Amino acid sequence: ASFLMAYIDEITGLPGRRKLNDVLETFRKKYTIAMIDIDYFKKVNDTYGHEFGNVALKAIAKSLKDHSRKNNIIARYGGEEFCIVISGMKKDHAVKYAERLRNMVGALEFKTDKGERVKVTMSAGIITIEDAHSGDPTDFIKAADCALYRSKNTGRDKISVFDKSLDKINPPSLYQGNFLVNWQYDPEKNVYRRWRANKAEADRNNS
């Protein structure tokens, strides 16, 4: 049962983060990722309770699924965050699709036991495979997250597309033999530079 729960989110019925990671590891099509976050959802939980929050999350998940193409993969990434893998769609179409989802979520209305009407908004970050600086799925999700946080930091209730000049992430570190290989962003040259360090020395510096 615990194995299944790691793959299927019990509240929304959507694939969970582990299932999403497995899918991305084997995905070979051109795709776009949209990371979605329900704005100020902690305040919803704190004000109306987690049971009400779970009902809202379930309804939002259903709406996201109902308004998406069958070949899209929609997963609950954690908390109030969702990830959508959009297959075979150009960037401008993916942005329009995300805007439709944003409007759809904003139009939802939830009623409390006391008859109060609650509405939410969503922010999202989008990246296409063409804009990624590596094919690593984890790196790809990090880039979409960077765009998402730009949406959240600039007012929320909006869609942001990953922009290498605005959203900076460092690619993952890798061990090659006795050396730690890493990349760091050089803002002056707008490139990522690779460096190597002795593994034992890197471990000491990180301890």
Side-chain angles (χ1 to χ4, degrees):
S2 59
F3 178 81
L4 180 62
M5 285 172 61
Y7 276 80
I8 302 297
D9 176 60
E10 61 179 334
I11 294 173
T12 63
L14 296 176
R17 183 185 295 200
R18 186 180 295 183
K19 175 64 175 177
L20 174 69
N21 290 339
D22 284 354
V23 168
L24 291 179
E25 287 290 346
T26 58
F27 214 65
R28 293 293 176 263
K29 299 177 182 178
K30 269 191 173 183
Y31 64 101
T32 297
I33 280 184
M35 293 296 290
I36 292 172
D37 186 86
I38 308 305
D39 298 323
Y40 301 112
F41 201 73
K42 182 181 184 302
K43 186 176 179 181
V44 173
N45 280 330
D46 290 345
T47 304
Y48 304 104
H50 286 273
E51 187 175 340
F52 176 84
N54 288 343
V55 170
L57 281 177
K58 189 173 182 179
I60 291 168
K62 184 178 185 304
S63 293
L64 291 175
K65 191 172 182 179
D66 289 347
H67 290 79
S68 295
R69 300 182 306 174
K70 288 184 178 180
N71 59 342
N72 289 351
I73 300 166
I74 304 171
R76 185 182 180 195
Y77 200 68
E80 64 272 20
E81 197 169 30
F82 298 88
C83 180
I84 303 182
V85 181
I86 309 163
S87 177
M89 189 181 287
K90 293 181 179 178
K91 184 192 297 184
D92 56 339
H93 293 164
V95 172
K96 290 178 182 177
Y97 160 68
E99 285 288 1
R100 288 197 300 272
L101 294 182
R102 185 182 67 82
N103 290 329
M104 177 270 298
V105 169
L108 293 174
E109 191 172 78
F110 309 101
K111 195 173 181 180
T112 70
D113 292 338
K114 296 179 180 180
E116 296 174 88
R117 299 182 183 277
V118 180
K119 294 176 74 70
V120 297
T121 59
M122 64 162 253
S123 300
I126 288 178
I127 182 171
T128 62
I129 193 70
E130 291 87 353
D131 292 330
H133 60 67
S134 86
D136 185 278
T138 302
D139 195 41
F140 202 37
I141 288 177
K142 283 182 181 178
D145 248 340
C146 283
L148 166 61
Y149 281 104
R150 180 153 50 87
S151 290
K152 294 174 70 173
N153 291 332
T154 55
R156 304 183 189 242
D157 192 18
K158 62 171 64 175
I159 311 296
S160 295
V161 179
F162 179 78
D163 185 332
K164 291 178 181 178
S165 67
L166 298 173
D167 306 307
K168 302 305 177 191
I169 59 169
N170 288 329
S173 303
L174 297 171
Y175 277 113
Q176 293 181 353
N178 291 323
F179 290 92
L180 173 70
V181 180
N182 204 343
W183 289 260
Q184 286 192 332
Y185 181 73
D186 181 346
E188 293 185 3
K189 300 291 185 181
N190 195 30
V191 295
Y192 287 89
R193 300 191 181 281
R194 190 175 78 158
W195 58 267
R196 296 206 318 167
N198 181 275
K199 182 178 179 181
E201 181 180 346
D203 289 342
R204 282 198 304 272
N205 290 337
N206 291 328
S207 63

